[in-house]
Amino acid sequence: MEESERTSIDPKRRADHLCVLVHGFWGNPTHLEYLATTLREKHPEDKLNILVAKSNSGTYTYDGIETGGERVTQEVETLLEELERDGAPVAKLSVVGYSLGGLIARYAIGLLYSKGYFEKIQPVNFTTFASPHLGVRTPLWGYHNHLWNAFASRTLSSSGRQLFTIDTFRDTKRPILLVLADPDSIFMRALALFRNRTLYANITNDRSVPYYTAAITATDPFVDLDAVDIRYLDNSSSIILNSEPPVSPKASQEVVPFYTRLATNSQSLLTRVPLYTALAALIPLATVVWTINSGVQSFRSNQRIQLHEQGEGLNSYRIPLLMSGNTARSTFSGAFRRVNSAHGHDYLPESDGEDPQTPTTASREEDAAAMPNLELKRTTSRKADFPTLALSDEQFEMIRNLDIVGWKKNLVHIRKHRHTHAAIIVRIPKPAFDEGKVVVRHWLDEDFEI
């Protein structure tokens, strides 16, 4: 939104609610154009101010969650000061993050909280669309996956290491994602203050942010859609799933004869031979090009980070991250993350006991007590209908802590286009992404409080 658009409004009619939109990796403000436009159509300028963050555009998203969060915070503070000078102070704040932007937004609200903004501004809506809250390590075992993860995680500079949870954030001796989910951190304190916390997650075909990490869960019932019954919300064009419950295993499935399955799989394999042949020829060249480009971008990113660290006013963001002294927690430094989405998930052995991601009542009460004004969300310890994914201990800890703060989780089933990561917010205005318009309309009608 141009400066002239903001200042041309009569101060007496100026909105007191600010909504901040934060784009994702390799993104730019145009990716959020549909979100911003539909938000403005529903809420005019005398009801809502909209800021589409632009300081992390393009390859600047290589620079890490911390640097990106500080840049967004600077943008927000600048606009808050401008509106204050114009006689239209902000009284309510909403934040929306898409993909990596959801993590950057979680960092930014922690900085705003630490600087006292939430003592005079009411946090209202916090929403993420397809954001990797648990990082991008897909639950896969095997040495080849470990090698791939170790390689891939080092080709995206600081952001890559953080998304793969192989970084060490400042003096915490832990990955930044684990700090973001620490109940004692300024980030979780800030998140808990928002009146509405909502996430949207694709259940299939999101190759950038798999379902489990966008939905903050240790199970993935949607690996085989033919094996489950899915329930949808009325009037959602069978795109938004019903929350209670969204999915259940089919009562009984006909066993397909072995030879039928063999014939089907063989036919499927034959149809893919041309694709595999092309990939075999292109992958070596693409790998070389990707590695060279990643090296160049990582070098430039490190230079930008150094300049950012030397910037004026940065010391105001170098504040204590934790609200108590209890920071001694064990961590793992292995390089784990997702590989190609064509790989299946690995699962933990079945057990009749409590799921690893389900906290005990005592631990939930202890963590909830650490965050003020937070209603305790209780869960049952019954055995889950679907197997638990082979996540890392760090990811289980993140799930436990983020579930305690509480989220409304909206699951999305997009079918018309396989690039569901882009379609969920209509990142490009084309008919194949029209299902995303249903998602955005649902968010505006059901989950965005003005």
Side-chain angles (χ1 to χ4, degrees), residues 74-386:
Q74 288 177 329
E75 288 190 71
V76 173
E77 287 189 292
T78 298
L79 179 55
L80 291 176
E81 292 170 0
E82 290 178 3
L83 293 172
E84 182 84 28
R85 287 196 302 267
D86 291 343
V90 170
K92 294 181 286 186
L93 177 70
S94 293
V95 182
V96 181
Y98 164 60
S99 193
L100 176 66
L103 303 180
I104 292 174
R106 283 172 54 195
Y107 194 96
I109 63 172
L111 296 182
L112 292 172
Y113 167 85
S114 70
K115 300 187 75 173
Y117 281 100
F118 292 170
E119 295 175 6
K120 54 185 178 181
I121 297 177
Q122 170 65 52
V124 182
N125 308 294
F126 188 90
T127 307
T128 63
F129 290 90
S131 290
H133 293 284
L134 310 180
V136 293
R137 174 199 176 273
T138 286
L140 293 166
W141 287 340
Y143 72 91
H144 56 289
N145 290 315
H146 287 240
L147 292 175
W148 167 252
N149 293 336
F151 166 76
S153 62
R154 288 167 172 80
T155 62
L156 298 174
S157 191
S158 295
S159 294
R161 292 190 294 272
Q162 292 170 353
L163 288 171
F164 290 61
T165 62
I166 64 168
D167 65 304
T168 300
F169 182 54
R170 292 199 199 167
D171 57 353
T172 66
K173 300 181 180 179
R174 292 183 289 166
I176 189 173
L177 292 186
L178 203 57
V179 176
L180 281 175
D182 189 320
D184 294 329
S185 71
I186 57 175
F187 312 109
M188 287 289 279
R189 296 292 182 99
L191 188 61
L193 290 176
F194 279 82
R195 191 178 302 161
N196 307 301
R197 292 170 298 276
T198 308
L199 64 80
Y200 286 80
N202 286 308
I203 67 171
T204 186
N205 289 332
D206 194 325
R207 291 173 175 79
S208 299
V209 180
Y211 163 75
Y212 82 94
T213 185
I216 313 177
T217 180
T219 61
D220 187 351
F222 307 105
V223 173
D224 182 3
L225 295 180
D226 293 331
V228 295
D229 289 319
I230 300 176
R231 300 171 183 84
Y232 299 95
L233 289 177
D234 296 335
N235 303 319
S236 74
S237 303
S238 297
I239 295 174
I240 309 293
L241 276 61
N242 199 325
S243 59
E244 293 297 337
V247 63
S248 62
K250 287 186 175 178
S252 62
Q253 300 183 55
E254 182 180 352
V255 178
V256 181
F258 170 76
Y259 291 106
T260 301
R261 285 185 281 119
L262 180 62
T264 301
N265 292 337
S266 299
Q267 184 178 6
S268 176
L269 181 60
L270 288 174
T271 60
R272 296 178 182 178
V273 167
L275 174 62
Y276 292 153
T277 302
L279 289 176
L282 292 175
I283 284 178
L285 176 61
T287 300
V288 172
V289 174
W290 170 264
T291 302
I292 294 173
N293 180 67
S294 296
V296 171
Q297 296 301 338
S298 294
F299 175 76
R300 292 176 177 174
S301 174
N302 289 333
Q303 287 185 315
R304 286 195 300 268
I305 293 172
Q306 290 178 9
L307 291 174
H308 177 81
E309 293 289 336
Q310 298 168 6
E312 294 183 5
L314 191 61
N315 289 335
S316 64
Y317 299 140
R318 292 298 184 260
I319 38 80
L321 302 175
L322 302 176
M323 304 299 289
S324 74
N326 184 22
T327 62
R329 304 192 183 188
S330 61
T331 62
F332 293 83
S333 60
F336 297 112
R337 67 149 282 180
R338 72 173 181 89
V339 289
N340 194 299
S341 61
H343 291 80
H345 294 323
D346 282 333
Y347 302 92
L348 295 181
E350 292 189 6
S351 170
D352 292 331
E354 195 171 85
D355 291 339
Q357 77 275 18
T358 304
T360 63
T361 300
S363 66
R364 292 179 67 87
E365 291 175 345
E366 179 181 349
D367 289 339
M371 289 180 282
N373 304 320
L374 183 62
E375 180 183 356
L376 182 63
K377 313 282 185 182
R378 297 189 181 277
T379 61
T380 62
S381 59
R382 66 177 178 82
K383 188 176 178 181
D385 291 329
F386 302 96

Side-chain angles (χ1 to χ4, degrees), residues 381-396:
S381 59
R382 66 177 178 82
K383 188 176 178 181
D385 291 329
F386 302 96
T388 302
L389 298 171
L391 304 178
S392 68
D393 286 0
E394 293 168 337
Q395 289 173 313
F396 283 126

Side-chain angles (χ1 to χ4, degrees), residues 422-433:
I424 195 171
I425 63 160
V426 197
R427 205 167 73 187
I428 302 172
K430 61 181 183 178
F433 286 178

